[in-house]
Every structure is written in C-alpha cells, then in structure tokens.
C-alpha cells in the first residue's frame, strides 16, 4: 500500500506536459503560456495625464491655496489622442484630459476639482509636487521587455496584456483529451430509462465535471459491464487518448476485472491501493503515451481520488506549475472521531468567524454519500494517526474548486469589511 505522497510522486514521475499549440487570444483563458511574451510598445507611449485638469509648472503654484489661488493663463486644450499645440511656459497652464499627452514645460497636473476657470484663465487652489497625476512613459509596459513568462496561467489580466502587445494568437500547451469509463453490471446510464433497482452512473459525470472545471477535454465512453469482454472492448476505446479514467471494478470483488484487463491490454500497472480514506483501492498505470487512473466505484471515493491524483497530473499536462489544490488553516467547530491508519479526507463546510475559518462536517461521511460533496467547501485532511480531534483543534482543509466565492458581498456601503 502506497502513502498518498508516494502515489502522487509515482504519478507525476510519469506525467509530462503536452506539446504547445497556437490558439486565438479569444480562446486563451485558462491555458498556460508556452512562450515568453515581450512588449512591442511602450505603454503609456508618452507621459500622460491621470486626471482631467490643468498641466502646469509645479514651481509656479508652490504658494497656491483656496484663499490665495495662483492665476495662470490657459494656452491650450489637449484631448486624449491629440498632440499638444504648444509648450507650457512660466505663468501658463494647458487644459488637459485624462490620457492626453503632458505638454513640454509642464511637470504636474492639477485636477479640475482643485481649480476654477473661465475661458482664458484658471485659478489653481492647491500646490502639487513634480510628477503628481502624471503616468510616465512605459510605466505599465516597456518596449522590448518580457511582460509574461512561459508557464504563466492565462487569466483575465493576462488576456488584457496579451491584447495590449498585439498577440492575437498565443502559444499555449495543448489541453489533454481524456476518456472516462464507468464499470458495473448494476449501473444505469443517463440515456437509459429509469429502473429504480439500478444504480445511476454518477462517476462519469463527476469526473467529467472535475476535468471540465480545469480546462481538460473529457470524452465519455459510457458504461462497461463486469465481464472481461465488455471491459476489454471499452478500455481499448480509451487507449487512444492522453489519459483514461476508469471507475469501479478495481477492488477485491469477484467480478473486479479492471486491473487484469488493463494489464492484458499492455498497460503497466505501477501500484494499487493508497493509504487514504475514502478511496484506498485506487490504481495507476501507464501505456505508450497514456496515463491510466483506476478510481474506486463509490462516488465520493472516486471524486477524492480524482482530486488527489488526477487533477495534479492533468495540471502538469496543461503546463501549470501549481499542481495541487490550495489548503487553508481552520479550527474544528465540533469533536470529530476517526479510525486510525489512513489519512482521511473529510467533507467540511467552512465558515468565517472572528478567529478565522472554522470547519464543520458537511453531513454523513459515507463514501457513497455524494451529497456530502455537494454540501462541502473543502476536504479536511485528518492525519493517519489521529483518532479524535476535539472542537477547537487547528486543522488543514483542502479547498474544493468552487470555494473562491461567497454569498455575502463582504463589504459595507461605508467600505468596512468586518475584519478591521
Ligand atoms: P466497485 O468499486 O465497482 O466495487 O463499486 C463500489 C460501489 O460504487 C458500488 O456500490 C457501486 O454500485 C458504486 N459505483 C460504481 N461505479 C459507480 C458509478 N459510475 N456511479 C455511481 N456509483 C458507482
Ligand atoms: Mg463494481
């Protein structure tokens, strides 16, 4: 039996990131950059105003106040996108819009709210230091400088930068195509009529969704029955993909043929069984250019194994550097009993309290109770040697994918957050 870390290391030891491909920028979100990207321009292209106001010489307005404003002659009106018509000399000001180029001679911009003006003259009410309200040439992007590194995950801000440097096509790592197969005589497919004595196939869909959520392309192969013939036919179909994920039929039951059938198809099985709960019958194998994950059949077990073993491997194939789900510290909200011997991933709800996050069990923890995953924010990692965790104990929780969101806006009209 492997420990979770041994299992992950074996899997990642066999996992390579996929080759690069070129995609239109519109499809780059969530992908990983396979090239360094340099800026082809300075941004801003010249010193620009950060405010609507007046471009002036700071030395002219040192004494300015509400009571005794400095009066300057208005010599120009510079719009965004236009060129200044003249320089600003001592005693002068140019009206300037946000984004417009700062004229020569001026070294600061006074916002319109701190001025009063008629057509020809402006009263300045405040002094300003040199450079105030000016965005400097190249302060965002410098021509020729690398702005995004190969290996960067592309989020909305990266998409914006890529657009700014005119990368209409982007080199990214290819997304894995992954076949998903469920096994079991008792299973009923989504497209089959309801038979109340059958077990609906959940795993095909939870695994499909786990993959979709991280930008992997799933292909559903359906259900194989618990015979070598049926399994062989379906597993063979799965061998043409970057990975194959099978669930069920991997335990010690009399009709659990998944491992021998995979071996018969030339898949080298690297291990079977990991010291985790739920999910210990998990197995992993490889063939030529394919990873094979055999998940236990119970829906929670298969999801937990997917989270611990499949997701990190898929993230590596996608070219990502951060392979593992984030963990956070929390405090137990109740006593939790456990069996010794295996690391236990318990489904928990996280709540914010004054002392930080608190974790509470998300209902019944049976490995067939998929509703515990529905209700959970994360998986509490209960160490193998632990039998009892008392209320108030600090614990670590691995977050599930939807957890960056919350119901409350977290901010009041006055801008208070409740954490002050
Ligand atoms: P197995 O690993 O094949 O022994 O299955 C363990 C348990 O998980 C059994 O109760 C199965 O009915 C159930 N199970 C197996 N595959 C699925 C599936 N695709 N969807 C839902 N439950 C399943
Ligand atoms: Mg079965």
């Amino acid at each position: 039996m492997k420990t979770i870390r041994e299992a992950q290391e074996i899997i990642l030891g066999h996992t390579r990131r996929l080759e690069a491909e070129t995609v239109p920028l519109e499809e780059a979100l969530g992908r990983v950059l396979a090239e360094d990207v340099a800026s082809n321009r300075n941004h801003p292209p010249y010193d620009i105003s950060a405010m609507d106001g007046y471009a002036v010489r700071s030395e002219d307005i040192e004494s300015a106040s509400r009571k005794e404003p400095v009066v300057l002659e208005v010599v120009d009106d510079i719009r965004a996108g236009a060129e200044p018509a003249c320089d600003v000399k001592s005693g002068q000001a140019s009206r300037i819009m946000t984004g417009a180029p700062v004229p020569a001679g001026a070294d600061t911009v006074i916002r319109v709210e701190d001025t009063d003006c008629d057509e020809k003259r402006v009263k300045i009410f405040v002094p300003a230091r040199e450079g105030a309200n000016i965005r400097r040439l190249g302060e965002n992007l410098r021509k020729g400088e690398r702005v995004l590194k190969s290996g960067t995950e592309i989020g909305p801000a990266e998409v914006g930068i890529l657009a700014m440097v005119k990368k209409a096509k982007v080199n990214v790592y290819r997304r894995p195509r992954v076949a998903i197969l469920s096994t079991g005589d008792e299973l009923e497919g989504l497209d089959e009529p309801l038979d109340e004595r059958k077990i609906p196939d959940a795993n095909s869909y939870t695994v499909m969704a786990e993959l979709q959520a991280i930008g992997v392309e799933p292909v559903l192969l359906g259900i194989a029955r618990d015979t070598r013939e049926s399994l062989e036919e379906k597993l063979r179909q799965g061998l043409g993909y970057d990975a194959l994920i099978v669930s069920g039929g991997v335990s010690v039951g009399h009709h659990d043929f998944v491992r021998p059938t995979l071996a018969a198809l030339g898949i080298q099985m690297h291990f079977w069984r990991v010291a985790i709960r739920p999910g210990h019958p998990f197995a992993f194998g490889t063939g030529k250019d394919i990873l094979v994950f055999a998940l236990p059949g119970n829906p929670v077990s298969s999801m937990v194994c997917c989270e611990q073993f499949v997701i990190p491997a898929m993230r590596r194939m996608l070219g990502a550097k951060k392979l593992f789900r984030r963990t956070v510290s929390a405090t137990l909200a109740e006593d939790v009993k456990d069996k010794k011997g295996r690391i236990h991933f318990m489904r928990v709800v996280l709540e914010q309290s004054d002392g930080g996050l608190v974790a509470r069990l998300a209902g019944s923890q049976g490995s067939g109770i998929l509703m515990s995953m529905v209700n959970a924010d994360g998986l509490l990692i209960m160490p193998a040697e632990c039998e009892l965790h008392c209320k108030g104990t600090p614990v670590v929780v691995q977050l599930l994918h939807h957890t960056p969101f919350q119901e409350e806006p977290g901010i009041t009209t006055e801008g208070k957050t409740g954490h002050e």
Side-chain angles (χ1 to χ4, degrees):
M1 185 137 62
K2 298 287 180 216
T3 67
I4 181 168
R5 289 296 301 132
E6 286 166 349
Q8 286 171 333
E9 275 168 25
I10 293 169
I11 293 167
L12 292 173
H14 285 91
T15 308
R16 303 277 166 270
R17 82 174 172 222
L18 298 176
E19 66 283 1
E21 63 180 2
T22 303
V23 298
L25 181 57
E26 292 88 331
E27 291 165 26
L29 181 70
R31 307 290 288 269
V32 177
L33 260 184
E35 59 178 332
D36 285 342
V37 175
S39 181
N40 61 351
R41 69 197 319 161
N42 287 316
H43 181 273
Y46 30 72
D47 291 354
I48 61 173
S49 177
M51 294 284 174
D52 293 328
Y54 291 85
V56 302
R57 300 164 80 99
S58 54
E59 62 194 28
D60 281 0
I61 56 158
E62 272 169 5
S63 69
S65 68
R66 284 254 154 214
K67 265 196 179 146
E68 290 182 53
V70 171
V71 179
L72 301 172
E73 178 197 2
V74 178
V75 293
D76 196 2
D77 186 356
I78 316 164
R79 306 159 66 127
E83 294 295 326
C86 57
D87 298 356
V88 172
K89 300 196 183 69
S90 188
Q92 297 182 332
S94 286
R95 188 173 300 122
I96 191 166
M97 301 299 117
T98 306
V102 176
D107 62 14
T108 188
V109 172
I110 307 298
R111 52 184 201 140
V112 84
E113 293 87 336
D114 296 325
T115 68
D116 186 20
C117 89
D118 54 36
E119 267 312 294
K120 289 270 162 252
R121 280 139 45 98
V122 60
K123 287 181 193 158
I124 306 286
F125 296 134
V126 294
R129 59 180 171 76
E130 193 184 324
N133 294 329
I134 293 176
R135 295 192 180 140
R136 293 295 180 195
L137 182 156
E139 74 174 25
N140 186 35
L141 305 174
R142 276 218 169 262
K143 188 169 178 176
E145 252 178 33
R146 183 176 69 189
V147 287
L148 295 174
K149 260 204 270 187
S150 180
T152 301
E153 287 187 51
I154 303 176
E158 286 78 9
V159 170
I161 295 289
L162 289 164
M164 287 178 117
V165 303
K166 286 254 185 303
K167 288 286 287 182
K169 291 193 171 133
V170 194
N171 232 3
V172 295
Y173 294 107
R174 180 168 72 74
R175 301 157 63 155
R177 296 187 68 229
V178 177
I180 300 170
L181 179 66
S182 286
T183 72
D185 287 341
E186 76 283 27
L187 296 184
E188 176 183 283
L190 187 57
D191 52 351
E192 292 180 81
L194 175 81
D195 174 348
E196 290 190 10
R197 295 195 52 76
K198 292 210 151 184
I199 302 297
D201 171 18
N203 298 351
S204 290
Y205 298 93
T206 49
V207 173
M208 172 196 78
E210 288 267 1
L211 297 182
Q212 285 172 333
I214 60 161
V216 170
E217 255 181 72
V219 177
L220 296 180
L221 299 182
I223 298 168
R225 299 307 169 188
D226 289 321
T227 65
R228 283 181 181 262
E229 296 72 34
S230 173
L231 269 173
E232 190 177 323
E233 186 209 325
K234 287 287 195 179
L235 288 172
R236 222 183 257 287
Q237 288 175 27
L239 295 183
Y241 295 85
D242 296 305
L244 164 61
I245 304 176
V246 199
S247 70
V250 73
S251 195
V252 290
H254 208 68
H255 305 280
D256 288 345
F257 296 133
V258 167
R259 286 181 306 120
T261 311
L262 283 169
L265 288 171
I267 299 299
Q268 186 190 351
M269 299 308 292
H270 297 286
F271 62 83
W272 174 51
R273 290 186 160 165
V274 184
I276 65 170
R277 190 188 346 261
H280 94 287
F282 172 76
F284 172 72
T286 53
K288 193 179 173 310
D289 297 329
I290 189 168
L291 306 181
V292 181
F293 300 87
L295 310 177
N298 277 304
V300 178
S301 312
S302 76
M303 275 193 90
V304 167
C305 286
C306 197
E307 288 283 326
Q308 309 314 316
F309 306 117
V310 178
I311 299 280
M314 295 298 121
R315 296 266 305 158
R316 169 157 293 168
M317 282 183 156
L318 285 160
K321 297 203 171 80
K322 297 174 183 170
L323 304 184
F324 303 100
R325 293 276 193 216
R326 248 184 91 187
T327 51
V328 295
S329 300
T331 312
L332 269 185
E334 59 195 332
D335 290 354
V336 172
K337 283 211 187 78
D338 193 17
K339 283 187 224 146
K340 265 191 181 174
R342 288 190 248 147
I343 189 168
H344 192 171
F345 290 91
M346 305 184 99
R347 278 71 73 206
V348 293
V349 177
L350 290 172
E351 285 152 21
Q352 187 70 49
S353 78
D354 291 343
L357 291 173
V358 292
R360 192 181 299 284
L361 291 186
S364 209
Q365 298 286 312
S367 62
I369 302 175
L370 189 54
M371 284 308 289
S372 67
M373 285 298 279
V374 170
N375 296 328
D377 295 316
L379 300 172
L380 187 161
I381 307 173
M382 193 71 137
E385 71 280 6
C386 252
E387 271 182 298
L388 173 70
H389 260 6
C390 297
K391 179 177 171 174
T393 309
V395 290
V396 171
V397 176
Q398 191 183 61
L399 298 178
L400 292 166
H401 81 271
H402 58 274
T403 40
F405 296 98
Q406 62 180 19
E407 208 167 303
E408 297 303 322
I411 187 164
T412 67
T413 347
E414 296 79 41
K416 293 233 160 37
T417 60
H419 295 274
E420 287 86 0

